[in-house]
Amino acid sequence: MPKRDSQTGHNSLLNISLYSEFSIDDALAESARYKAERPNERNDVNDIVYCALRRISMDDIDVVHTEFTLTLTLEQHWEDRRLQDLLPVDSNATYAIRGDSIERVWVPNLYFPLMKSGKFHELTTTNKIVFVNREWGVGYISRLTLTQTCSLDLRLFPFDVQRFDTHLSAYMYTVDEIELRWLEESKQGQSSWLIVNNVPQFNLYEDEPLKTSNFTISEVYFYNYTFEFSALNASIYFYRGTSSFILTQVSIPFLLTVLSWVNYFLDPEQTAARVSLGITTVLSAVTQASTAQRGLPQLQYNTMLDIWTAVCLEMTILGLIEYAVVHILVFRAKRFERMISQQTTSTSVSPEHITESSFITERKMDTRRFSSSERILNDDGSQADLPSTTKTLRSSAIRYRLWAHRIDLTSRIIMPVGLLIALCTFAIEINLLTKNT
């Protein structure tokens, strides 16, 4: 394996000095014994390939298409005594194989199972090189850009933490032929490391930014043969920045709901004002709820943002329904008041002798008023009892107006308290789920 760098404390092929007094390209061309096949192909022994991902740069995260793009340097190390024995016996130097000569050397046939597309870097030349050292073996370095699929869990959106996996597996060699291991598992290996660019909406999850693991991939061929392939996985964790979402997707439904509460303080007789305000806030809330999924894929479940906008939308619609109930009660009260007015007009009662009562308000100037003693004054100054039907109408009108007033008063308290409880419940739920992620 490569020697440890005294200044940086890391082991990397990039820190090794190269020597040119011996040409390994010429040695490869002249060697008839070396063939580009697995080192232990004829010995029935598996080869261990150590891998590392260097300079991992997250370039883009596409949530709609559930994919991400990253650029990385892939390092592979293995032992190949056939190639190592071509070097001078007394030399511990590291020699490089570049260009077309790399095609003469056996390299592990690895692939990325989650990859949608990828490419080698070719500016200014193809960015791949092979190193050979008589002591620690062969190293292969290449620079790649990969676009890979990812499995996103958006239930906590926009307060979610996402994991982006990069699988690396042997393509045509089973686990009995090639076993993959991370380079840090070797005696002098350096762990993988990453460099994160500014990705919109996402920040690196500092608690566990990069996690590596080993596993196997099982595949079935010819119906009854099962093969296992060695594989590696590197997981990068990101959390979503919530500032912009709180200012737009979260706060706007909340403000529309608060705006709908103005209806509870308006006079029930002001039908145009209350209806127009209610319909406007409901339509705005519906529009906001429909745009909450913008920038997300089609999901089979509801996100936390969907639930929040649905709660705010339902409370806004309840405000409109509340006024519908209040309007019906006030309308019935007004109908009874008109009936009372008609009955009073049919009697010979002078308007100036009618005493005011508290159950009919000042909104309708042509409404007749009656005293709280339920008696009226005739033209000759004598008192007469109200008819029984008039008493019934009067009590009904008072009852309906009282119910309407109580509904408005109750809504002024219940709606804000309900929204506050929902907000606290969401905050607690998000905090608990985020910790368990």
Side-chain angles (χ1 to χ4, degrees):
M1 302 302 296
K3 295 182 178 179
R4 189 176 185 85
D5 189 282
S6 59
Q7 295 181 352
T8 62
H10 296 307
N11 301 289
S12 176
L13 291 176
L14 302 180
N15 298 325
I16 296 177
S17 300
L18 304 180
Y19 297 85
S20 59
E21 64 270 13
F22 168 80
S23 175
I24 191 172
D25 293 341
D26 296 340
L28 270 175
E30 296 174 359
S31 175
R33 295 184 299 105
Y34 183 83
K35 295 182 180 180
E37 61 182 19
R38 188 168 63 87
N40 291 304
E41 181 76 28
R42 304 176 186 275
N43 300 330
D44 196 23
V45 178
N46 70 339
D47 291 290
I48 298 178
V49 179
Y50 294 94
C51 301
L53 305 181
R54 315 285 194 202
R55 300 179 181 176
I56 306 172
S57 175
M58 183 69 73
D59 299 330
D60 181 50
I61 298 174
D62 191 341
V63 178
V64 177
H65 298 95
T66 61
E67 64 183 25
F68 65 100
T69 302
L70 53 81
T71 300
L72 56 87
T73 298
L74 173 62
E75 285 192 22
Q76 304 172 56
H77 299 259
W78 66 94
E79 289 189 0
D80 190 345
R81 295 310 311 178
R82 302 168 305 164
L83 193 60
Q84 294 171 245
D85 290 341
L86 295 178
L87 303 182
V89 178
D90 57 347
S91 174
N92 193 32
T94 300
Y95 299 90
I97 303 176
R98 304 180 178 89
D100 296 336
S101 298
I102 296 178
E103 304 298 330
R104 304 175 185 174
V105 180
W106 178 89
V107 295
N109 192 352
L110 306 184
Y111 79 110
F112 297 87
L114 301 180
M115 185 182 70
K116 289 184 175 181
S117 62
K119 64 177 182 179
F120 283 102
H121 287 202
E122 297 183 351
L123 291 178
T124 55
T125 59
T126 302
N127 295 168
K128 56 184 179 179
I129 189 172
V130 173
F131 294 95
V132 184
N133 185 281
R134 191 174 183 85
E135 179 182 350
W136 51 259
V138 183
Y140 177 47
I141 299 179
S142 57
R143 187 70 174 165
L144 309 171
T145 294
L146 307 173
T147 298
Q148 303 181 97
T149 184
C150 56
S151 178
L152 301 177
D153 186 358
L154 298 171
R155 288 180 174 85
L156 291 179
F157 175 82
F159 306 97
D160 52 329
V161 176
Q162 299 297 339
R163 187 185 74 183
F164 300 93
D165 294 332
T166 298
H167 292 350
L168 180 63
S169 176
Y171 178 70
M172 57 183 295
Y173 296 103
T174 65
V175 69
D176 295 328
E177 297 173 308
I178 288 183
E179 180 183 354
L180 300 183
R181 297 181 184 177
W182 288 110
L183 187 58
E184 57 263 32
E185 297 179 10
S186 63
K187 296 180 180 180
Q188 299 180 0
Q190 176 192 358
S191 61
S192 301
W193 52 280
L194 57 89
I195 302 173
V196 178
N197 295 336
N198 293 325
V199 183
Q201 299 185 11
F202 288 93
N203 299 305
L204 185 64
Y205 192 65
E206 298 295 344
D207 293 344
E208 195 173 24
L210 179 63
K211 183 179 180 181
T212 58
S213 58
N214 299 357
F215 64 101
T216 57
I217 299 177
S218 298
E219 297 185 7
V220 178
Y221 294 96
F222 306 111
Y223 185 74
N224 57 350
Y225 292 97
T226 301
F227 298 95
E228 289 189 349
F229 299 89
S230 180
L232 303 176
N233 177 53
S235 300
I236 305 175
Y237 291 82
F238 283 89
Y239 71 92
R240 195 183 303 271
T242 58
S243 299
S244 61
F245 289 96
I246 292 177
L247 291 176
T248 56
Q249 305 292 343
V250 177
S251 63
I252 291 180
F254 176 81
L255 294 176
L256 289 174
T257 304
V258 173
L259 181 61
S260 67
W261 297 342
V262 177
N263 258 338
Y264 307 142
F265 297 89
L266 296 180
D267 195 324
E269 298 284 347
Q270 299 179 3
T271 304
R274 294 192 67 162
V275 170
S276 61
L277 179 59
I279 292 177
T280 301
T281 52
V282 168
L283 292 178
S284 300
V286 170
T287 303
Q288 181 65 27
S290 63
T291 58
Q293 287 284 354
R294 185 177 300 172
L296 294 180
Q298 294 295 327
L299 303 174
Q300 299 179 352
Y301 52 85
N302 293 322
T303 65
M304 295 299 290
L305 182 60
D306 293 333
I307 299 174
W308 171 251
T309 54
V311 170
C312 293
L313 175 60
E314 290 173 1
M315 298 192 72
T316 306
I317 295 176
L318 285 177
L320 188 59
I321 296 175
E322 185 269 349
Y323 176 65
V325 175
V326 170
H327 178 72
I328 292 174
L329 295 175
V330 173
F331 177 78
R332 291 185 177 182
K334 291 168 63 177
R335 185 177 63 179
F336 291 142
E337 291 168 5
R338 285 195 298 268
M339 295 172 64
I340 295 171
S341 177
Q342 292 173 0
Q343 291 182 2
T344 305
T345 305
S346 62
T347 61
S348 57
V349 181
S350 301
E352 60 272 13
H353 294 156
I354 299 177
T355 308
E356 291 186 355
S357 176
S358 60
F359 84 99
I360 301 179
T361 63
E362 297 292 339
R363 301 188 186 95
K364 300 292 291 182
M365 299 302 297
D366 60 343
T367 304
R368 303 300 182 181
R369 313 184 195 285
F370 305 92
S371 64
S372 59
S373 61
E374 299 186 355
R375 298 176 67 83
I376 60 174
L377 296 176
N378 295 323
D379 291 336
D380 56 1
S382 62
Q383 292 186 351
D385 293 333
L386 287 173
S388 59
T389 56
T390 304
K391 293 179 181 179
T392 303
L393 294 175
R394 175 180 181 273
S395 61
S396 298
I398 293 175
R399 184 170 62 254
Y400 282 128
R401 285 195 177 273
L402 185 60
W403 286 353
H405 181 64
R406 287 178 177 176
I407 290 176
D408 273 344
L409 289 178
T410 304
S411 299
R412 297 174 190 175
I413 300 174
I414 291 180
M415 291 299 183
V417 171
L419 187 60
L420 182 61
I421 293 175
L423 184 60
C424 294
T425 303
F426 273 96
I428 295 173
E429 187 74 13
I430 291 171
N431 188 33
L432 292 176
L433 293 178
T434 302
K435 290 182 178 179
N436 294 332
T437 302

